[in-house]
Structures are given as structure tokens and as C-alpha cells.
Amino acid sequence: MEKKNYKEVLNQITTFIFDVDGVLTNAGIQINTNGEMLRTMNTKDGYALKTAIEQGYNVCIISGGKNEGVRARLKGLGITDIYLGAHEKIEQLDEYFDIYNIKPENVLYMGDDIPDYPVMKIVGLPCCPQDAVKEIKEVATYISHKNGGKGCVRDVIEQVLKVQGKWMKSFSARLSD
């Protein structure tokens, strides 16, 4: 089956859903002497997430990880729909769709590993970082040129917002004040 061109669906995206480990982070985990797992997130990804929210997009996180520091960081960016400890991600996806009356064809989902596979099979624009596993790359309509934790989230958000005329919109308005 031939994949559709991802650019054909950028205009219909209203919702961004992201995994954390391997997408918002580089999938590496540092463990301190107290056993706490530490992750690194990209500030450019954070800026893009915040901008998407400011422009009226739905933004949701569905992750198998349970780190409350991750939740605090994401809440600080303005994300309110955060599902941690989600091992069957399709359940959280269905719940999120029901709450906000979201249609799968309006969703961009970015994942990097096998737990993301079922979700990626049903959304309108399945995406992954450059360093995603082979099976995820095969189901992705768009593979970012950026690795997980290295700007792949910014890449996809910026493309959608630019196509829809919303990138730099709030920034440009502040400059003209």
C-alpha cells in the first residue's frame, strides 16, 4: 500500500498527541543515587507546544512513563490532558476523543516505539522521529528529520501551523503592539 503525502493532511489537523520517551525526550534515562529517573526535554519543542495551545489546538500527552516531573514540565507549558502510566494507549486515546469530540482524521500523533503502533494505525497523520523503531517508521506517514528529544515535536507542530497560517501569528501580533 502506498503512503499518502503527509502534506495533504496538514490543513485538517486540529489536535496534536505525543508520546514522551523517545519523542519529547531522547529515550535516555539518567538515574540519580536516590533512584529517581531524569529525562531531558528540548526547549524548542516546548516553545512549539505552548504556541500550538495559544493558537487553539488540542494538545495531549499519552505516555507509558509515570514520572511526575514530566507532568510538572508539561503542565508548565499549558498542557492539561496528560495521561501517564498508559500502557494500552488506545484506551486513553478513545477517552480523549470522547471528551473533546475529536475525529481521528484531525489528529497528528507522534510515537517512536511498539506501544504507539495501535494509535498510529487510526489517526489522520501518524508521525515519528528519525530514530524511531523500524515498525513505527513503516506505519508513519511522516518521519521527521529530527531525532526524539532533538526537535522532532517542533518540526511537526511548526509545519502544521505554517500551512494553516498560525506560526508566528501571536508573536507577530505582539511585535505590532
Side-chain angles (χ1 to χ4, degrees), residues 1-148:
M1 185 174 99
E2 188 175 324
K3 289 185 184 182
K4 60 187 168 190
N5 184 335
Y6 78 97
K7 291 184 179 188
E8 295 172 8
V9 295
L10 293 178
N11 250 327
Q12 67 190 41
I13 300 301
T14 62
T15 302
F16 296 100
I17 304 177
F18 298 100
D19 179 30
V20 173
D21 294 323
V23 173
L24 284 164
T25 76
N26 66 3
I29 297 174
Q30 296 178 344
I31 303 171
N32 70 16
T33 55
N34 297 328
E36 183 181 5
M37 291 186 275
L38 307 173
R39 293 161 174 86
T40 301
M41 292 186 175
N42 186 300
T43 59
K44 291 180 176 80
D45 286 345
Y47 176 79
L49 288 163
K50 193 173 175 112
T51 300
I53 292 165
E54 289 172 357
Q55 292 301 317
Y57 293 86
N58 302 309
V59 176
C60 176
I61 304 299
I62 304 177
S63 175
K66 298 178 186 175
N67 187 295
E68 288 303 315
V70 169
R71 184 187 308 274
R73 164 69 177 149
L74 296 170
K75 282 182 125 181
L77 295 172
I79 301 170
T80 56
D81 297 290
I82 303 167
Y83 297 91
L84 300 181
H87 299 291
E88 299 296 327
K89 295 182 179 190
I90 208 83
E91 293 173 17
Q92 285 76 19
L93 183 76
D94 287 342
E95 179 181 314
Y96 184 68
F97 284 3
D98 287 345
I99 291 169
Y100 295 100
N101 195 27
I102 294 170
K103 295 181 177 140
E105 60 266 22
N106 300 123
V107 175
L108 180 155
Y109 180 91
M110 182 175 263
D112 72 305
D113 209 345
I114 302 303
D116 302 304
Y117 190 90
V119 172
M120 292 178 71
K121 291 291 285 181
I122 65 167
V123 298
L125 185 51
C127 301
C128 69
Q130 177 62 43
D131 57 348
V133 300
K134 176 180 165 268
E135 295 85 353
I136 295 301
K137 285 181 172 182
E138 289 173 355
V139 74
T141 301
Y142 175 71
I143 300 171
S144 176
H145 64 284
K146 303 276 189 174
N147 285 342

Side-chain angles (χ1 to χ4, degrees), residues 156-174:
V156 294
I157 291 174
E158 189 173 329
Q159 286 191 61
V160 170
L161 271 63
K162 280 181 175 178
V163 164
Q164 295 184 15
K166 295 180 179 179
W167 185 250
M168 299 274 304
K169 189 173 183 179
S170 62
F171 185 74
S172 297
R174 285 183 283 216

